[in-house]
């Protein structure tokens, strides 16, 4: 057994592992569910009502599968909640907005580049609208998850 400053290496490993595994699971699950519901409702408002004519359905596509839309929103809420539960100090509305804006910026840029890889002409205005809409929705989700984390401390 390795010893360092009168402390065994296994003791250090166990304490570090426990600290990493204890991320406040209750905050993670409740924040993820709240974030998913907020994302679903904000997505319905932004893409379903406000930008419905801006982003038409692709040709040849069938009806939307609401279960997949809800699951996508739920898992985005869990992603935000997971990141927030790993970091310290993300428990206020403003800190949640700031962190979610950064996450949404990079996620929406990545998604837009992948979605446009086969297109010969790219509508950069439409791409910009989508990025701004994603950032707006994610900032509301981030604020909701952060407030839930703050209330449950």
């Amino acid at each position: 057994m390795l010893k360092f400053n009168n402390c065994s290496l296994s003791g250090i490993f166990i304490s570090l592992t426990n600290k990493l595994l204890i991320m406040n699971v209750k905050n993670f699950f409740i924040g993820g569910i709240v974030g998913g519901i907020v994302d679903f409702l904000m997505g319905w408002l932004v893409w379903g009502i406000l930008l419905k004519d801006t982003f038409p359905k692709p040709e040849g596509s069938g009806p939307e599968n609401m279960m997949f839309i809800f699951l996508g929103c739920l898992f985005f809420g869990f992603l935000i909640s997971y990141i927030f539960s790993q970091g310290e100090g993300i428990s206020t509305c403003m800190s949640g907005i700031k962190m979610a804006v950064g996450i949404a910026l990079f996620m929406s840029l990545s998604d837009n580049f992948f979605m446009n890889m086969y297109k010969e002409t790219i509508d950069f205005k439409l791409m910009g609208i989508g990025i701004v809409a994603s950032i707006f929705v994610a900032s509301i989700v981030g604020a909701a998850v952060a407030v839930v984390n703050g209330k449950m401390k």
Side-chain angles (χ1 to χ4, degrees):
M1 170 103 37
L2 291 172
K3 293 261 188 187
F4 183 72
N5 288 343
N6 293 328
C7 193
S8 70
L9 188 58
S10 62
I12 292 172
F13 178 75
I14 290 171
S15 74
L16 285 176
T17 306
N18 286 340
K19 184 173 179 162
L20 291 175
L21 292 177
I22 300 173
M23 67 169 175
N24 203 338
V25 176
K26 180 176 72 170
N27 281 16
F28 167 69
F29 279 112
I30 293 175
I33 291 168
V34 168
I37 292 169
V38 169
D39 189 32
F40 184 78
L41 295 174
M42 289 300 299
W44 168 72
L45 176 67
V46 172
W47 283 283
I49 294 175
L50 298 175
L51 298 176
K52 185 175 186 159
D53 297 329
T54 307
F55 294 100
K57 288 175 34 174
E59 291 182 28
S61 64
E64 294 100 4
N65 187 333
M66 294 305 286
M67 178 59 73
F68 281 172
I69 293 172
F70 181 74
L71 287 173
C73 292
L74 188 65
F75 281 103
F76 181 73
F78 278 119
L79 171 71
I80 296 291
S81 184
Y82 178 77
I83 293 169
F84 285 12
S85 65
Q86 294 296 318
E88 295 293 324
I90 305 174
S91 58
T92 64
C93 186
M94 191 51 75
S95 64
I97 289 171
K98 288 178 184 177
M99 182 66 87
V101 164
I103 294 167
L105 173 67
F106 292 113
M107 281 185 64
S108 61
L109 283 170
S110 173
D111 289 346
N112 275 284
F113 288 133
F114 282 124
M115 286 189 300
N116 289 307
M117 71 179 166
Y118 289 117
K119 294 182 180 177
E120 290 182 24
T121 59
I122 297 171
D123 188 352
F124 288 104
K125 181 181 176 187
L126 196 62
M127 192 172 164
I129 292 170
I131 291 168
V132 169
S134 295
I135 290 171
F136 174 73
V137 170
S139 67
I140 304 298
V141 172
V145 171
V147 168
V148 166
N149 283 343
K151 297 284 184 195
M152 294 177 48
K153 275 190 173 183

